[in-house]
Amino acid sequence: MTAGAPNLAVLVKGWPRLSETFIAQELVALQEAGHEFDIWSLRHPTDMKRHPLHDRFRGQVRYLPEYLYQEPQRIWAAREQAQRLPGYGAAYKVWRADLRRDPTHNRIRRFGQACVLAAELPASTQVLYAHFMHTPSSVARYAAIMRGLPWSFSAHAKDIWTSPDWEKSEKLHSDTYGAAFGATCTAIGAQHLRSLADDPARVELIYHGLDLGRFPAPPERGLRPADSPFHMLSVGRLVEKKGFDRLIDAFAMLPDDLDWHWTHIGGGSLSDTLQNRAAWAGLSGRITWKGACDQPEVIAAMRTADLFVLPSRIAADGDRDGLPNVLMEAASQYLPILSTSVSAIPEFIETGTHGVLTDDDPDALANAIAQLAANPAQAAAMAGAAYDRLIADFRMDPGIALLSSRLSALGAHKS
């Protein structure tokens, strides 16, 4: 262990990731608020592009063994060192109890990564903070027990809704080596986690908000003629919970006299499936699949689109969105919004006031698209209201101040 390093260590699932701009935004803001820390990542990057935010991070990025068999010498050396730490026995006992209920390779990998983290953390480390309540928090928890340090986490969406209640509960109770505090970015998530905690005050509601300094002022949008081409945009991973399969089905139901085009930005495991679905429906000529794009490309697309569509739904395994930052990004550019009343989306968008929220079935989506295309003045008024709501209630700064205060209280002092 080396001395003279930051006293805060931040654990993430992967760095950098285009789909997790909200994490990069938060970490850069914490750094600019005076916190010094290194990032410890469970996985190596796979994206070919980076957001400008990633280049603003000034600390070191350290990668834990992504798979234990890839770095056996590092694993065994760390395990030997970890076994000499005062809390190793307690951490091992906690992990074995977890493993009995979750006998998976992933659970084994978590403990191996925790040994490396505990062994390689600088001696100056006083606080651990993990993004996501599932795997990263487990690694942080085991390592924190070994080192006798407080730990904390930020929970988002999938990690809340697909993790078992027993695990979330134990991570929120002091007598089971739980987190000193947990932050989450939606009221619905905070309510759920507080119901599982020994002390509801252990869970803090902290909206990500938007750093408006990263975005240009909204464009001057003239009122679109109702009979002109109608350009829709979506930004999101091509996965089940984003609902793009149902959106494609909705496109096939649009009126013949609507001259529409849809651009999609993002990668994902369902890319081929969804492109084939669109081709089968005869829609390929109306769709542009742009793949992964960086932040400037996303904003440029938002500034020229007529409607932002995010048809979120609950996946078969319970996964769902929280409050997607792309909705706030769209609002920052006066781009009208069509989404669904899933999870925390209604916490930002009140349907009929800041945008339109529908059910996630194709009929409802198609009807909403047709109505918005035919009523540009109404769409523009809702876009303006969403922008005003963003400015009034969803700026980034208050949340960062609260998170900084909670971390400082644990010992993550500012420079």
Side-chain angles (χ1 to χ4, degrees):
M1 303 175 194
T2 58
N7 62 6
L8 172 64
V10 175
L11 198 67
V12 299
K13 196 168 186 179
W15 180 276
R17 282 187 163 182
L18 286 173
S19 62
E20 295 176 357
T21 316
F22 57 94
I23 293 178
Q25 171 184 271
E26 176 194 284
L27 297 186
V28 168
L30 283 174
Q31 177 182 266
E32 292 176 350
H35 291 282
E36 295 182 3
F37 53 89
D38 290 340
I39 291 173
W40 295 76
S41 177
L42 305 186
R43 293 182 178 176
H44 292 269
T46 56
D47 295 323
M48 301 301 293
K49 296 183 178 182
R50 295 167 62 95
H51 283 301
L53 270 173
H54 295 130
D55 296 325
R56 287 169 56 186
F57 177 67
R58 297 189 301 268
Q60 293 189 55
V61 181
R62 305 170 185 266
Y63 292 94
L64 296 171
E66 189 163 342
Y67 294 99
L68 304 187
Y69 69 85
Q70 293 175 331
E71 299 183 66
Q73 292 181 330
R74 186 182 179 194
I75 293 292
W76 287 113
R79 176 79 182 276
E80 182 179 349
Q81 188 169 344
Q83 286 176 320
R84 296 196 292 267
L85 294 173
Y88 178 84
Y92 183 81
K93 183 177 179 181
V94 168
W95 170 66
R96 290 294 297 183
D98 291 348
L99 184 64
R100 282 193 295 272
R101 293 168 291 187
D102 176 32
T104 62
H105 289 296
N106 184 44
R107 183 68 62 174
I108 295 170
R109 183 164 64 247
R110 295 183 205 185
F111 192 73
Q113 290 174 320
C115 287
V116 174
L117 180 62
E120 297 184 2
L121 279 172
S124 59
T125 302
Q126 298 296 314
V127 180
L128 297 180
Y129 174 57
H131 260 285
F132 292 109
M133 195 179 184
H134 50 10
T135 305
S137 283
S138 291
V139 174
R141 181 186 181 212
Y142 300 146
I145 297 170
M146 293 180 201
R147 290 284 296 267
L149 300 175
W151 70 281
S152 54
F153 68 83
S154 182
H156 303 289
K158 180 178 182 178
D159 51 329
I160 296 176
W161 304 114
T162 64
S163 296
D165 282 354
W166 65 261
E167 183 166 10
K168 290 179 287 191
S169 179
E170 290 184 8
K171 288 175 177 175
L172 286 165
H173 280 68
S174 58
D175 59 356
T176 50
Y177 299 98
F181 76 87
T184 191
C185 53
T186 67
I188 190 173
Q191 181 181 18
H192 175 69
L193 294 181
R194 285 168 180 160
S195 74
L196 298 171
D198 58 349
D199 178 3
R202 195 182 295 275
V203 178
E204 199 78 69
L205 171 59
I206 301 178
Y207 286 114
H208 293 306
L210 210 62
D211 178 7
L212 291 171
R214 294 194 294 111
F215 296 87
E220 293 291 335
R221 292 183 181 269
L223 196 62
R224 183 188 68 83
D227 59 352
S228 65
F230 189 59
H231 182 196
M232 293 173 281
L233 172 70
S234 297
V235 180
R237 290 179 298 130
L238 294 169
V239 295
E240 183 185 2
K241 71 177 179 179
K242 296 296 182 180
F244 293 125
D245 55 340
R246 296 180 180 176
L247 183 59
I248 290 170
D249 293 347
F251 289 151
M253 303 166 66
L254 291 175
D256 292 338
D257 60 352
L258 179 59
D259 182 9
W260 64 272
H261 192 90
W262 179 55
T263 296
H264 177 271
I265 292 176
S269 59
L270 296 181
S271 177
D272 290 344
T273 299
L274 292 174
Q275 290 190 44
N276 290 337
R277 191 185 193 100
W280 181 84
L283 302 176
S284 296
R286 291 181 176 271
I287 297 175
T288 299
W289 304 92
K290 296 197 72 171
C293 293
D294 59 26
Q295 190 75 36
E297 292 170 313
V298 170
I299 297 304
M302 287 180 170
R303 291 172 71 84
T304 59
D306 299 308
L307 180 67
F308 187 83
V309 187
L310 187 67
S312 301
R313 64 187 178 99
I314 299 175
D317 65 355
D319 190 12
R320 68 201 74 178
D321 276 328
L323 176 52
N325 264 35
V326 288
L327 294 178
M328 289 178 274
E329 292 172 7
S332 79
Q333 301 304 304
Y334 277 161
L335 179 57
I337 294 168
L338 168 61
S339 191
T340 56
S341 53
V342 168
S343 192
I345 292 172
E347 294 175 30
F348 177 55
I349 301 294
E350 180 183 343
T351 191
T353 300
H354 312 105
V356 173
L357 302 183
T358 72
D359 294 333
D360 59 13
D361 64 84
D363 278 328
L365 290 165
N367 288 334
I369 290 169
Q371 289 294 318
L372 285 161
N375 295 278
Q378 180 189 33
M382 290 188 290
Y387 179 82
D388 292 343
R389 177 152 172 73
L390 170 68
I391 298 299
D393 300 322
F394 285 86
R395 288 177 176 270
M396 175 191 68
D397 297 352
I400 292 299
L402 179 54
L403 179 59
S404 174
S405 175
R406 293 297 300 250
L407 290 170
S408 294
L410 293 185
H413 303 303
K414 297 180 182 180
S415 59

